[in-house]
Each structure stands twice: as structure tokens, then as C-alpha cells.
Amino acid sequence: MAEGAKRPRVVIVEDYVLIQENIRLVLESDCDVVATAEDGETALAAVTEFQPDVITLDVSLPGSSGFTLARKFQQTHPAIALIFVTAYSDSLHIGGAFDVGASGYVLKGSMQSELPAAIRKVCAGGRYLSPALHAKAGTNFS
């Protein structure tokens, strides 16, 4: 991140605390993690309270899918960038994420090397897709 640039504020929505902490560790040098949430209700409250620049979320969450939650975020906070961080690598999930307004899609297995770049790209108004998934998505994200 360029010196003097605003650090993106991030809310992490992930039901496994260990993965939440891994995401936090990956982001801490470039971003301010302002809240974490394990479910949709907590996530909605955190986003309303902290007004982040970016939300990272998983596809599978207790009580609500990440897609349902993304739709709610798009309705209530459309300016916030959404990045799915998930293990799902099939075209159905990838397409579903972008259909509900995601700006990025990162595989959990490559989040350490890709998530900071994904956040930079979506904060600059772009879209990001893990390079390993480009062929499955059928769209060029470079």
C-alpha cells in the first residue's frame, strides 16, 4: 500500500474462528480489520456500526448463505465491496457470487497470496477472481 494511502476498513464474515484469525493475519499489514462475525445477523450489525470499505464473506454461513447476506448488503450498503473467501471452486458458486454483487472471489487455499491484492483491486473499483478460476468463470478478470 502506498505511503499515506487510506487503509481499507474490513469486516470479516466467517463462521470458523480459526479461519477468521488467518484472514486477519493476512490483512493486518495492509488493512484495518474493524470487526468479525460468525453469522449473518452479527455481520449485518457490524457492517451497520463500522461502515467498512470491504466485507469478506464465505458462501456457507450458519442461518444464512453468503449469497443471501450479500444481497442484503447490496440493498443496505451498496458502496461496500464484497469479496467471497471460500473453498468452493465451481462455476455455479463463482457465478452466483458475482450475480449477487461480489467484487471479488478468492479461494481459501490461496488467500495468503491473493487476498491483499484482491482488496487493493476492489478498493480501486475493479473486480478480482483467483487466477486459478478464470477458465471456470468464463470471464477475464485481469
Side-chain angles (χ1 to χ4, degrees):
M1 179 161 290
E3 189 172 327
K6 178 183 172 249
R7 290 168 57 93
R9 295 166 41 84
V10 179
V11 169
I12 299 168
V13 184
E14 167 61 55
D15 56 329
Y16 291 104
V17 175
L18 184 59
I19 295 173
Q20 274 183 16
E21 289 306 311
N22 285 341
I23 294 171
R24 180 188 298 274
L25 289 171
V26 167
L27 297 180
E28 69 183 358
S29 65
D30 293 323
C31 303
D32 293 328
V33 176
V34 295
T36 58
E38 286 110 31
D39 58 57
E41 186 176 321
T42 306
L44 287 166
V47 168
T48 299
E49 180 178 351
F50 294 104
Q51 297 293 313
D53 302 299
V54 178
I55 302 165
T56 67
L57 66 159
D58 195 0
V59 169
S60 298
L61 296 167
S64 172
S65 79
F67 294 153
T68 300
L69 192 55
R71 280 188 202 93
K72 289 180 184 176
F73 288 139
Q74 285 297 303
Q75 291 170 354
T76 59
H77 301 88
I80 299 173
L82 303 173
I83 299 176
F84 279 87
V85 180
T86 187
Y88 294 101
S89 62
D90 60 277
S91 60
L92 183 66
H93 284 93
I94 297 165
F98 288 104
D99 286 348
V100 296
S103 297
Y105 196 96
V106 176
L107 292 174
K108 285 181 178 175
S110 58
M111 73 178 171
Q112 184 171 355
S113 61
E114 295 180 21
L115 190 53
I119 288 180
R120 284 191 297 275
K121 191 161 189 177
V122 303
C123 284
R127 295 192 326 160
Y128 185 91
L129 177 66
S130 286
L133 301 175
H134 284 203
K136 290 182 181 183
T139 306
N140 185 0
F141 280 80
S142 45

